[in-house]
């Protein structure tokens, strides 16, 4: 189901944040370590994980690389919905 309104966008950001948290923990990294690799403040990275803000596409690509996952693993989407959801996410 495509993202349609502000509530959907907030939930989608939260879903992506949960995935970032999951993959970070799987790698055994702290938020500070990931922030250092990305060269951003830890508080900014924390906001990604809590869904307060969304990382830009370049940062998402870097995160996928850090966590050794395909970019689409950071999105909880159905095939066919991906482009619609990514569009609304940003």
């Amino acid at each position: 189901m495509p993202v349609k309104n502000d509530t959907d966008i907030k939930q989608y950001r939260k879903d992506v944040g949960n995935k970032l948290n999951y993959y970070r923990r799987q790698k055994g990294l702290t938020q500070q370590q990931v922030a250092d690799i990305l060269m951003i403040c830890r508080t900014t990275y924390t906001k990604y994980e809590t869904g307060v803000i969304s990382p830009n596409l370049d940062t998402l690509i870097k995160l996928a690389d850090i966590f050794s996952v395909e970019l689409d693993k950071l999105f909880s989407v159905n095939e066919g919905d991906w482009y619609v959801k990514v569009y609304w996410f940003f």
Side-chain angles (χ1 to χ4, degrees), residues 25-81:
R25 290 175 185 268
Q26 289 288 48
K27 280 290 194 178
L29 297 170
T30 65
Q31 289 182 341
Q32 185 63 60
Q33 289 170 317
V34 175
D36 289 346
I37 294 167
L38 295 172
M39 297 190 304
I40 61 174
C41 296
R42 185 202 50 80
T43 55
T44 300
Y45 182 76
T46 299
K47 289 177 183 179
Y48 295 160
E49 284 196 7
T50 57
V52 173
I53 60 173
S54 56
N56 63 31
L57 184 57
D58 288 338
T59 301
L60 284 169
I61 291 168
K62 290 175 187 174
L63 287 164
D65 186 51
I66 291 165
F67 301 144
S68 303
V69 298
E70 297 292 326
L71 182 59
D72 64 338
K73 295 287 186 188
L74 299 179
F75 297 94
S76 54
V77 297
N78 298 319
E79 190 173 337
D81 267 353

